[in-house]
């Protein structure tokens, strides 16, 4: 057992955790922040995506003890039912989900994708590595590919993100 | 309420709320991560312990010995349940293989133990310490090898094993143009994003489970039967379900083991199936071998159509009814179908999105494309030429609605089908060989009893309670729309509570029957509530108008809340169906159009455009219904191009049993999807005049992709999935 | 996952020393492969040495115009680095073709090199696997082997190395720098880092117990047209069936390394002499000793065709 403090959604939590506890399980089972989902627990689906120090990661493949002092943002930190984040609102408007289980991961990922594009980070489909990155539909789809939606809401998710990206651009 | 005659004008036809593309009412919860799924309900019961499932390490045989000493001694372990100490267990009506195996092992990763501990980490570690000696038995794992030693099954659903009309053999032999081809579809996994998960808590001899299940009443009934306890002692709660696709229709090991673990540990227990266990532990869509023979005149008229299908299953398991649609989709005087079942020792095969038609259409709609090739007729035109407005086996039986031809024509126009080059391998866009494909979509519409309770309170708020589930289908929203339309209140004045076995029994979610039947049940309950209100106010119930939050009759008008008075007014009723499903054939129709690119060098296949046109009765909420169809189209792309639970025929398991090995489509695989509904109402289906749509969307998609690949390359692949290795040899290198 | 003790190392030398001082210790950096395997008890360390504080996350220019990439540089950062994008396009491309955005944000340069095979039989602890349990046999041989190695495999193991990055680094003649528990450092050419399975597939690299990768050095950019072409069933978030890393010079000479075909990035320098004669001649040399299974024989023509495409585009 190790005592750590986690900064989640701008709140500091002291926790005594088994070293084996993943960041995902610390969030879900200890802090009861269950918006972050466990879909596979092996980095194969993206449902557990959270933003740590500004970057999206799979919270299932990292240990909580490795995140002492890191700034963690989960879906709960983006918005609430009465105060939706623009991406959350766009997902509702465009029906960018069905069962809802991959949705928090999709939205956290989307928030980070928009930041990655802004930061000029290229992707697999970026035609010219040395030119500025533009958020095309192909870029969006490639960058979001680490978030599986078995309900198949991809087409709507892409529209939701595009709308927000267009607005903020 | 009995529904015996085609619906006439009713309050739903006002379409003030119904038929509008309303955003899902639970959307803000889902998008903020505040919708509660089964495993995460920390607040429903205190002191939850963690269960971790141990799956069988062999595909067939039995357990020789189990040594639990090390596991029991591990830190935090509270209890371990195996078949040895679980007590006598029954088996659910809807389970073929037992959910807790031992000593006999029915299939790989069949649950053989659950280890309960204070934390998840402790339970997982201790589960590895359970030592089991297995005695391997001889299993049968190879469908193709068993093809000649099959039985004639007696299917519970989907019709008899053999059907025949006219003289197929003679007509086929005499036909000037013949197609005789065999197709295979692989085992497929539901791979829903939320694993099967449950929390179980006992209060004396009463059990409550918070779970993830599509069919609440089935689950409660089978839970009681398996545990040997009275049905009324079981409560099942499942308000949010992270995907099902048929994989959560039935009681599964998570629920049973949570309940047994909780009993043994003396405290509530929660269990989620580990992802790598799910593919072999739970059910899957069974692989098929399908032979299709079609005889036609030179003008394209089909004179003989035959469809035979072979699939396998565990003992007591059902066959995949891949021949179903062939009995109804195309005309032809001479017809036959045959369904055969092999005894296999693979995991249990069962329903997955559009069971039967999904795999059947994968084959049949390639066959039609092949026939069109042979005839030199456009595949859209060939389908239109063989349309039928009556059940071909019983010509006196008409389809309630059948707009297949309209779907094909509308789709062809919108997709630019006329630009398709009928000669394969002619169109090039840079490195891509480009092709277009079409397929019909077909899925039956099933009607079944569904009940609901509706309450009205003093504030004029309407609350609907039914054990119906929302697995991503939009049930919350369309039920709220139905109640709002019926009671004449805005959507915001309706509360919908679902997925609790304390609520009236609905149709549940499956077989694309959920939308139409569950809302029809709400319609029935609302009709009764309207009568109760009218009576209470002294109104003639036939004349009372419910609109804008008030009830009117003549020049009297009373706010709804006032009608409720001091206490709530409640009504409960069910929709029950007469003979209309027998006198009419009720089906849903569509057409899928797909454009693919095939890399000329590597044979990688990528979908470039997709369009579906569907005719499926009244569309209660076009936004949610469209999502159902595009989601099904996505799953169809998976079926076409990648999904394949690969059988290791020596060890008897699906080898690629995780989400890295079993590939399903990702964002990059799916282009923008177009989808339109034709204007249709079907008064024969229900008072809602709606039908199902969620499964129609998958039927035919894979074949449309396959046909597009053929058009792009000239290569005809008859073994799904269509992967690059199957095209490579036939593609000329530049 | 078995219990383990945990420490955060403060210097590379201390980390390497600790790794042999404590029984069954392992380094953890990104953790994206190690934790995956620990959950299944395929990896069962008793002690984890977290190396994330070791300040090995810089990319510096070397005196001879190359780049020294810290072991902890995340895949995303390496792919996005301007110098890498300009001078080592094949490396950027390979990194971006791998995994997902989330995983690339966590996965490190050293960890990427050291990731273990994705063979499904390696991942299923109920089945024989010589890599996981030496001497137990190889279930992939005679089993489902569509993803497996076609060349350099043995009777003990037909697994492939899953990395994309390593294939590009092989083409770039990267050199891996390590520190050993006794504090000494050494340089290992990437060609010598990964082993073929032979009869001990459980030994995957030339690293000694406790040896810690501290950086990877790329020689000065060699120019040319650089490409990484990854072929897979689904369009993203999947391991390669076959991949080709190629650097083609204006005179037609160049370098070629293949991924997805062997237990290590597959490059035979002698084969590159055939480049002017086209892909077929090159792959004929690369696959001279190939022993494909029925399931994966397609990889031979696929690799040839992929290289053909890469060369055509490079010369266009």
């Amino acid at each position: 057992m190790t005592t750590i403090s986690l900064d989640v959604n701008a709140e500091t939590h002291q926790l005594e955790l088994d070293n084996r506890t993943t960041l995902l399980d610390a969030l879900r089972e200890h802090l009861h922040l269950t918006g972050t989902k466990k879909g596979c627990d092996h980095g194969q689906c993206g449902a557990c995506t959270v933003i740590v120090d500004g970057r999206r990661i799979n919270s299932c493949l990292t240990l909580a003890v490795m995140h002492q002092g890191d700034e963690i943002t989960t879906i709960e930190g983006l918005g609430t039912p009465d105060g939706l984040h623009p991406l959350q609102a766009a997902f509702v408007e465009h029906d960018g989900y069905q069962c809802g289980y991959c949705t928090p991961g999709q939205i956290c990922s989307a928030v980070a994708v928009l930041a990655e594009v802004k930061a000029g980070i290229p992707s697999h489909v970026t035609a010219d590595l040395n030119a500025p990155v533009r958020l095309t539909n192909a870029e969006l789809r490639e960058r979001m590919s680490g978030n599986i939606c078995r309900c198949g809401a991809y087409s709507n998710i892409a529209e939701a993100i595009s709308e927000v990206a267009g607005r903020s651009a | 309420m009995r529904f015996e005659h085609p619906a006439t004008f009713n309050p739903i036809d006002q379409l003030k709320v119904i038929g509008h593309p309303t955003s899902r009412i639970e959307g803000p919860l889902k998008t903020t991560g505040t919708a509660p799924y089964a495993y995460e309900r920390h607040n429903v019961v205190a002191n939850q312990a963690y269960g971790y499932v141990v799956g069988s390490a062999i595909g067939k045989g039995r357990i020789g010995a189990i040594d639990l000493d090390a596991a029991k001694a591990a830190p935090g372990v509270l209890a371990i349940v195996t078949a040895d100490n679980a007590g006598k267990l029954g088996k659910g009506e809807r389970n073929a293989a037992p959910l807790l195996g031992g000593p006999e092992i029915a299939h790989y990763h069949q649950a053989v133990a659950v280890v309960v501990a204070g934390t998840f980490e402790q339970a997982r570690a201790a589960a590895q310490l359970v030592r089991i000696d297995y005695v391997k038995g001889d299993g049968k794992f190879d469908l193709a090898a068993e093809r000649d030693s099959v039985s004639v099954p007696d299917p519970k659903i989907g019709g008899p094993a053999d059907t025949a009309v006219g003289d197929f053999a003679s007509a086929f032999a005499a036909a000037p143009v013949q197609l005789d081809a065999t197709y295979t579809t692989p085992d497929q996994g539901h791979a829903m994003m939320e694993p099967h998960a449950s929390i179980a808590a006992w209060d004396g001899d009463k059990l409550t489970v918070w779970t993830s299940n599509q069919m609440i009443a089935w689950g409660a009934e089978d839970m009681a039967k398996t545990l040997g306890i009275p049905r009324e002692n079981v409560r099942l709660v499942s308000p949010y379900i992270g995907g099902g696709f048929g994989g959560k229709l039935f009681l599964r090991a998570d629920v049973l083991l949570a309940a047994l673990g909780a009993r043994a540990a003396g405290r509530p227990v929660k269990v989620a199936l580990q992802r790598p266990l799910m593919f072999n532990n739970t059910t899957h869509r069974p692989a098929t071998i399908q032979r299709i023979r079609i005889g036609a005149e030179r003008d394209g008229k089909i004179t003989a159509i035959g469809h035979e299908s072979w699939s396998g299953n565990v003992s007591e398991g059902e066959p995949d009814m891949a021949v179903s649609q062939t009995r109804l989709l195309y005309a032809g005087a001479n017809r036959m179908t045959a369904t055969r079942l092999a005894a296999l020792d693979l995991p249990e095969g069962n329903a997955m999105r559009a069971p039967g038609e999904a795999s059947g259409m994968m084959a049949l709609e390639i066959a039609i494309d092949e026939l069109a090739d042979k005839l030199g007729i456009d595949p859209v035109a060939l389908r239109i030429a063989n349309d039928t407005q009556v059940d071909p086996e019983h010509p006196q039986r008409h389809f309630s609605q059948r707009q297949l031809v309209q779907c094909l024509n509308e789709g062809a126009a919108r997709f630019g089908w006329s630009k398709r080059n009928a000669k394969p391998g002619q169109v090039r866009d840079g490195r891509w060989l480009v092709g277009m494909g079409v397929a019909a979509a077909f899925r039956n519409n099933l009607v079944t009893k569904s009940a609901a309770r509706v309450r009205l309170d003093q504030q004029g708020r309407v609350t609907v309670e039914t054990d119906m589930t929302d697995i991503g289908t939009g049930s919350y929203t369309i039920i709220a729309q139905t109640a709002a339309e019926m009671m004449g209140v805005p959507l915001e004045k309706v509360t919908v509570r679902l997925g609790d076995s304390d609520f009236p029994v609905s149709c549940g979610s499956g077989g694309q029957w959920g939308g139409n039947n569950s809302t029809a049940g709400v319609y029935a309950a609302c009709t009764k509530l309207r009568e109760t209100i009218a009576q209470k106010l002294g109104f003639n119930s036939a004349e009372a108008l419910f609109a804008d939050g008030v009830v009117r009759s003549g020049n009297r008008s009373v706010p709804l809340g006032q009608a409720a008075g001091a206490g709530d007014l409640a009504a409960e009723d069910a929709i029950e169906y007469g003979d209309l499903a027998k006198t009419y054939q009720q089906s849903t129709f569509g057409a899928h159009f797909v454009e693919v690119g095939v890399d000329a060098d590597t044979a990688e296949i990528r979908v470039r455009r997709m369009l579906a046109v569907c005719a499926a009765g009244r569309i209660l909420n076009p936004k949610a219904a469209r999502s159902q169809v595009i989601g099904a189209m996505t799953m169809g792309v998976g079926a076409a191009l990648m999904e394949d639970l690969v059988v290791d025929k020596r060890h008897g398991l699906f080898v690629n049993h995780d989400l890295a090995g079993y590939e399903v489509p990702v964002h990059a695989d799916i282009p923008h999807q177009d989808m339109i509904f034709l204007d249709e109402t079907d008064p024969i289906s229900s008072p809602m005049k709606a039908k199902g749509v969620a499964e129609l969307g998958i039927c035919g998609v894979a074949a449309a992709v396959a046909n597009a690949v053929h058009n792009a390359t000239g290569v005809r692949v008859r073994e799904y999935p269509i992967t690059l290795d199957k095209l490579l040899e036939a593609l000329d290198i530049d | 996952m078995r219990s383990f003790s945990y420490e955060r190392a403060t210097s590379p030398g201390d980390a390497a020393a600790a790794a042999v001082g404590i029984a069954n210790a392992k380094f953890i950096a990104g953790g994206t492969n190690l934790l995956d395997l620990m959950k299944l008890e395929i990896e069962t360390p008793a002690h984890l040495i977290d190396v994330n504080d070791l300040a090995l996350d810089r990319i510096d220019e070397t005196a001879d115009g190359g780049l020294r990439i810290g072991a902890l540089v995340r895949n995303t950062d390496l792919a996005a680095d301007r110098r890498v994008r300009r001078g080592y396009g094949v490396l950027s491309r390979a990194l971006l073709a791998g995994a997902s955005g989330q995983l690339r944000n966590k996965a490190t340069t050293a960890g990427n090199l050291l990731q273990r095979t994705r063979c499904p039989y390696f991942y299923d602890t109920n089945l024989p696997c010589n890599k996981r349990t030496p001497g137990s046999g190889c279930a992939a041989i005679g089993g489902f082997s569509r993803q497996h190695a076609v060349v350099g495999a043995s009777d003990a193991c037909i697994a492939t190395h899953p990395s994309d990055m390593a294939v590009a680094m092989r083409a770039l003649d990267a050199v891996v720098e390590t520190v050993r528990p006794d504090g000494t450092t050494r340089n290992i050419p990437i060609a010598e880092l990964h082993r073929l399975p032979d009869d001990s597939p459980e030994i995957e690299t030339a690293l000694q117990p406790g040896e810690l990768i501290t950086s990877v050095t790329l020689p000065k950019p060699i120019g040319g047209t650089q490409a990484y072409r990854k072929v897979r069933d689904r369009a993203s978030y999947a391991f390669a069936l076959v991949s080709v890393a190629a650097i083609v010079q204006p005179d037609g000479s160049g370098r070629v390394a293949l991924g997805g075909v062997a237990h290590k990035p597959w490059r035979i320098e002698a084969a590159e002499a055939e480049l002017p004669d086209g892909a077929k001649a090159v792959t004929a040399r690369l696959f001279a000793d190939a022993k494909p299974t029925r399931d994966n024989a397609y990889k031979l023509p696929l690799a040839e065709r992929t290289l053909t495409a890469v060369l055509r585009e490079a010369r266009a």
Side-chain angles (χ1 to χ4, degrees):
Chain A
M1 303 292 275
T2 302
T3 304
I4 60 159
S5 74
L6 288 181
D7 292 345
V8 186
N9 302 329
E11 214 178 298
T12 304
H13 304 266
Q14 298 289 326
L15 289 172
E16 186 167 313
L17 291 179
D18 192 313
N19 284 342
R20 294 171 292 186
T21 306
T22 59
L23 177 58
L24 173 61
D25 286 331
L27 293 170
R28 283 170 62 83
E29 305 304 326
H30 295 268
L31 298 177
H32 294 189
L33 289 169
T34 54
T36 308
K37 304 302 182 191
K38 185 185 281 191
C40 73
D41 215 16
H42 287 274
Q44 301 165 351
C45 77
C48 67
T49 303
V50 299
I51 302 169
V52 176
D53 291 340
R55 296 195 154 196
R56 54 180 172 148
I57 65 166
N58 298 117
S59 61
C60 74
L61 287 187
T62 192
L63 296 169
V65 294
M66 298 170 78
H67 291 281
Q68 173 86 31
D70 290 353
E71 267 182 42
I72 299 157
T73 303
T74 69
I75 190 72
E76 290 92 345
L78 293 179
T80 62
D82 294 326
L84 298 177
H85 181 280
L87 270 164
Q88 291 170 325
F91 269 61
V92 174
E93 174 59 27
H94 290 272
D95 215 31
Y97 56 88
Q98 291 178 29
C99 79
Y101 201 75
C102 74
T103 313
Q106 301 275 358
I107 292 172
C108 284
S109 213
V111 167
V113 162
L114 296 184
E116 286 164 17
V117 170
K118 214 172 213 170
I121 295 171
S123 87
H124 173 60
V125 299
T126 306
D128 181 351
L129 285 176
N130 298 303
V133 177
R134 285 180 37 247
L135 189 62
T136 61
N137 186 266
E139 282 280 2
L140 192 64
R141 286 160 49 207
E142 162 59 23
R143 289 167 191 269
M144 289 298 295
S145 283
N147 292 84
I148 292 176
C149 171
R150 183 57 160 161
C151 295
Y154 296 135
S155 191
N156 290 352
I157 292 171
E159 280 165 30
I161 301 172
S162 299
E163 188 205 305
V164 173
R167 260 199 322 243
S168 61
Chain B
M1 173 187 289
R2 285 197 61 80
F3 183 71
E4 313 259 16
H5 306 289
T8 52
F9 186 83
N10 69 41
I12 294 296
D13 293 316
Q14 300 173 95
L15 301 182
K16 288 181 183 167
V17 194
I18 283 289
H20 292 245
T22 309
S23 292
R24 287 165 205 260
I25 59 174
E26 82 285 13
L29 298 182
K30 284 179 173 170
T31 55
T32 54
T34 48
Y37 296 83
Y39 195 77
E40 52 202 42
R41 306 200 62 175
H42 294 285
N43 59 346
V44 292
V45 59
N47 207 25
Q48 297 170 15
Y50 292 79
Y52 198 88
V53 180
V54 179
S56 166
I58 62 168
K60 180 71 180 173
R62 58 186 183 82
I63 291 174
I66 302 191
D67 178 357
L68 298 178
D69 291 351
K72 276 185 179 159
V77 172
L78 302 167
I80 302 176
V81 181
T82 68
D84 278 347
N85 63 15
K88 187 172 157 15
L89 293 177
K91 195 168 67 145
E93 204 60 51
R94 299 158 189 89
N95 294 125
L99 298 177
L100 179 60
E104 294 305 317
I105 296 298
H107 62 85
Y108 193 75
H109 276 172
Q110 183 181 26
V112 291
V114 62
V115 177
V116 180
T119 70
F120 173 69
E121 292 78 17
Q122 291 169 334
R124 180 176 58 189
Q128 291 278 352
L129 299 173
V130 172
R131 298 273 165 264
I132 303 180
D133 290 331
Y134 293 95
V135 181
K136 269 195 183 178
D138 286 334
K140 293 191 167 75
F141 308 115
D142 185 349
L143 175 62
E146 299 301 315
R147 184 171 162 178
D148 295 328
S149 46
V150 289
S151 64
V152 181
D154 182 14
K156 279 190 199 145
I157 46 166
D162 290 285
T163 68
V165 173
D167 181 353
F168 170 79
S170 307
F172 181 71
V177 179
Q178 298 173 344
L179 174 86
D180 181 351
T182 297
Y183 307 85
T184 62
T185 64
D187 297 286
Q188 296 173 346
H190 306 87
M192 70 295 278
M193 297 313 298
E194 181 206 24
H196 300 72
S198 300
I199 299 172
W202 291 89
D203 180 5
D205 57 3
K206 291 198 186 305
L207 171 68
T208 303
V209 291
W210 293 267
T211 187
S212 185
N213 189 294
Q214 301 173 225
M215 300 290 297
I216 301 303
W218 289 2
E221 197 180 294
D222 276 348
M223 187 66 162
K225 196 172 173 219
T226 307
L227 291 173
I229 62 175
R231 163 67 183 81
E232 57 272 21
N233 286 5
V234 177
R235 181 174 168 221
L236 224 87
V237 187
S238 185
Y240 288 94
I241 296 153
F245 315 112
K248 293 175 181 168
L249 284 170
F250 315 109
L251 189 76
R252 296 302 316 168
D254 57 304
V255 201
L256 177 63
L257 295 177
L260 292 172
R263 189 154 69 184
R267 60 189 266 198
V269 167
K270 59 184 198 173
V271 173
L273 297 186
Q274 307 90 269
R275 179 63 63 175
L277 193 81
M278 285 171 64
F279 291 91
N280 285 284
N281 175 274
T282 70
T283 58
H284 64 278
R285 187 199 301 284
T288 64
I289 300 170
Q290 301 179 48
R291 182 186 186 197
I292 296 175
R293 284 174 290 169
I294 308 175
E297 301 291 347
R298 297 211 181 276
D299 64 0
K301 286 280 178 208
I302 293 172
T303 53
I305 184 163
H307 193 160
E308 298 158 82
S309 175
W310 293 260
S311 60
N313 216 331
V314 292
S315 165
E316 297 180 43
E318 294 279 308
D320 185 271
M321 296 305 292
V323 304
S324 313
Q325 71 291 321
T326 308
R327 299 173 60 196
L328 291 161
L329 188 50
Y330 297 112
N334 303 286
R335 332 175 56 91
M336 65 82 68
T337 69
T339 299
R340 295 295 179 266
L341 180 63
L344 293 182
D345 299 299
L346 287 168
E348 178 179 339
N350 213 314
M352 177 169 149
R353 200 172 202 159
E357 283 105 328
S359 24
M361 292 292 277
M362 286 171 81
L364 177 64
E365 289 298 288
I366 297 183
I368 295 292
D369 203 64
E370 294 205 61
L371 181 65
D373 267 1
K374 280 184 181 253
L375 290 160
I377 295 178
D378 180 90
V380 170
L382 178 63
R383 287 178 172 90
I384 291 172
N386 287 289
D387 186 48
T388 171
Q389 292 294 314
V390 297
D391 172 355
E393 292 179 3
H394 307 96
Q396 74 285 4
R397 244 180 121 229
H398 285 254
F399 283 92
S400 61
Q401 295 277 351
R402 178 172 164 127
Q403 296 201 68
L404 174 61
V405 171
Q406 290 85 339
C407 290
L408 286 161
N409 281 330
E410 177 74 18
R414 285 190 178 237
F415 200 68
W417 182 254
S418 59
K419 295 194 188 77
R420 170 180 176 267
N421 190 326
K423 192 175 171 206
Q426 302 302 304
V427 181
R428 188 77 186 249
D429 176 12
R431 61 190 250 212
W432 300 101
L433 302 166
V434 180
M436 291 190 209
V438 62
F442 173 90
R443 171 75 172 145
N444 276 333
N445 180 59
L446 304 170
V447 291
T448 181
K449 183 181 175 184
S450 192
R453 182 162 59 223
V454 188
R455 272 188 290 115
L456 173 69
D457 72 10
Q458 312 180 47
Q459 282 74 45
R461 172 156 285 280
V462 176
T463 301
V464 185
E465 292 172 332
T466 164
D467 84 351
M468 180 59 188
T469 50
D470 190 328
I471 64 173
T473 37
S475 306
Y476 277 107
T477 310
I478 57 173
I479 284 173
Q481 287 176 280
T482 303
E485 193 79 77
M486 289 299 290
M487 303 312 298
V489 297
L491 203 58
E492 305 77 59
K493 288 289 234 181
V494 181
T495 301
V496 180
R497 301 178 66 205
L498 301 180
D500 189 325
S501 60
D502 282 353
F503 299 156
V505 176
S506 73
C507 55
S509 297
Q512 78 169 9
W513 61 60
N516 178 44
N517 292 290
S518 70
T519 53
V522 173
Y523 172 95
C526 286
T527 302
K528 199 170 193 179
L529 182 61
R530 286 164 59 116
E531 283 162 10
T532 309
I533 292 167
Q535 269 175 15
K536 190 166 174 198
L537 297 174
F539 290 173
N540 177 341
S541 64
E543 287 167 11
L545 292 173
F546 291 73
D548 308 319
V550 299
V551 200
R552 279 194 196 84
S553 182
N555 36 23
R556 268 187 73 198
S557 147
V558 182
L560 258 191
Q562 202 176 313
D568 291 0
L569 274 184
E572 182 175 333
D573 201 1
I575 191 79
E576 292 181 79
Y577 296 90
D579 279 344
L580 287 172
K582 289 201 183 82
T583 46
Y584 291 90
Q585 176 57 39
Q586 299 184 21
S587 305
T588 59
F589 296 88
H592 289 290
F593 292 82
V594 172
E595 181 180 285
V596 301
V598 179
D599 188 291
D601 294 300
T602 63
E604 289 162 287
I605 306 162
R606 301 289 179 255
V607 175
R608 294 157 61 104
R609 291 196 296 139
M610 300 184 84
L611 165 69
V613 182
C614 295
R618 169 176 284 151
I619 300 306
L620 303 175
N621 179 328
K623 188 186 280 194
R626 177 183 177 278
S627 287
Q628 286 300 294
V629 176
I630 66 167
M633 289 157 72
T634 302
M635 200 176 272
V637 170
L641 299 179
M642 60 192 85
E643 295 187 33
D644 183 2
L645 282 171
V646 179
V647 178
D648 185 308
K649 293 166 190 144
R650 307 158 306 165
H651 298 282
L653 75 151
F654 299 130
V655 187
N656 49 339
H657 53 70
D658 61 22
L659 285 174
Y662 184 78
E663 290 186 6
V664 300
V666 296
H667 274 275
D669 290 300
I670 303 300
H672 171 78
Q673 293 167 318
D674 283 323
M675 193 282 125
I676 55 168
F677 290 108
L678 295 189
D679 201 18
E680 182 175 298
T681 49
D682 193 337
I684 290 164
S685 168
S686 81
M688 303 301 294
K689 305 176 186 172
K691 291 188 285 200
V693 69
E695 299 191 338
L696 174 66
I698 194 174
C699 295
V701 177
V705 174
N707 296 338
V709 169
H710 175 260
N711 182 242
T713 63
V715 185
R716 184 65 78 181
V717 179
R718 300 184 183 85
E719 294 177 355
Y720 288 102
I722 305 165
T723 46
L724 57 89
D725 43 313
K726 296 171 186 171
L727 297 176
L728 217 47
E729 260 180 51
L731 282 192
D732 292 333
I733 194 157
D734 284 4
Chain C
M1 189 185 294
R2 296 206 193 147
S3 287
F4 54 85
S5 46
Y6 170 84
E7 69 173 295
R8 293 180 83 113
T10 50
S11 83
D14 291 352
V20 288
I22 302 167
N24 198 10
K26 261 205 171 301
F27 304 119
I28 185 166
T32 53
N33 189 209
L34 180 60
L35 288 169
D36 171 30
L37 295 171
M38 284 170 65
K39 289 178 184 188
L40 300 167
E41 295 203 6
I42 294 165
E43 295 275 10
T44 54
H47 182 69
L48 282 187
I49 303 164
D50 183 341
V51 296
N52 283 296
D53 292 341
L54 298 188
L56 299 173
D57 54 357
R58 291 176 52 89
I59 304 173
D60 296 312
E61 282 151 45
T62 59
D64 61 355
L67 282 184
R68 185 169 182 276
I69 302 156
L72 291 170
V73 172
R74 309 288 154 170
N75 288 177
T76 298
D77 296 319
L78 184 55
D81 186 275
R82 287 280 164 201
R83 295 159 295 183
V84 176
R85 283 152 79 169
R86 266 196 312 270
Y88 309 92
V90 64
L91 179 57
S92 267
R93 289 286 180 205
L95 283 158
L96 295 171
S100 66
Q102 290 95 312
L103 289 162
R104 292 192 296 271
N105 278 341
K106 206 88 191 80
T108 63
T109 305
N112 190 317
L113 288 173
L114 297 179
Q115 64 182 307
R116 308 197 67 191
T117 185
R118 260 63 181 191
C119 171
Y121 295 100
F122 173 70
Y123 265 78
D124 190 330
T125 51
N126 293 323
L127 301 173
C129 172
N130 288 320
K131 188 182 277 297
R132 176 169 31 77
T133 312
S136 61
C138 172
I141 296 174
F144 171 51
S145 57
R146 182 170 179 268
Q147 308 268 353
H148 288 71
V150 292
V151 67
S154 71
D155 292 343
C157 180
I158 59 170
T160 54
H161 194 270
S163 172
D164 293 298
M165 183 196 78
V167 181
M169 285 187 167
R170 178 72 180 86
L172 291 166
D173 283 334
V175 175
V176 175
E177 198 174 307
T178 70
V179 58
R180 285 179 282 200
D182 64 3
T184 58
T185 61
R186 66 164 171 157
N187 291 330
I188 307 172
I190 191 157
E192 291 162 30
L193 178 70
H194 297 108
R195 293 179 72 256
L196 288 179
D198 297 323
D199 54 4
S200 53
E202 74 281 11
I203 304 170
E204 293 167 352
T205 68
L207 297 180
Q208 295 160 2
E211 189 168 5
L212 177 72
I213 296 177
T214 51
S215 66
V216 178
T217 299
L218 303 179
K220 184 172 143 209
I222 60 166
T225 302
Q226 305 199 359
Y228 187 79
R229 182 76 187 273
K230 179 174 182 176
V231 182
R232 43 191 163 177
D233 292 320
R234 74 179 175 194
S236 188
Y237 203 14
F239 294 98
L241 298 171
V242 159
S243 68
V244 173
I247 303 168
V248 183
Q249 301 297 350
D251 66 1
S253 68
R255 299 179 185 178
V256 175
L258 303 183
V261 298
H263 199 253
K264 57 189 281 188
W266 195 248
R267 179 178 174 202
I268 298 173
E269 278 80 346
E272 291 160 5
E274 312 283 352
L275 268 171
D277 292 333
K280 195 181 187 73
V282 177
T283 52
R285 287 288 289 274
L286 287 169
F287 292 136
D289 299 317
K291 281 186 205 146
T293 66
R294 206 189 52 149
D295 282 358
N296 67 19
Y298 74 94
K299 287 191 177 188
L300 272 50
L302 179 60
E304 182 196 323
R305 299 173 70 121
T306 308
L307 181 59
T308 303
V310 166
L311 294 179
R312 189 193 311 119
E313 278 164 36
R315 287 163 184 167

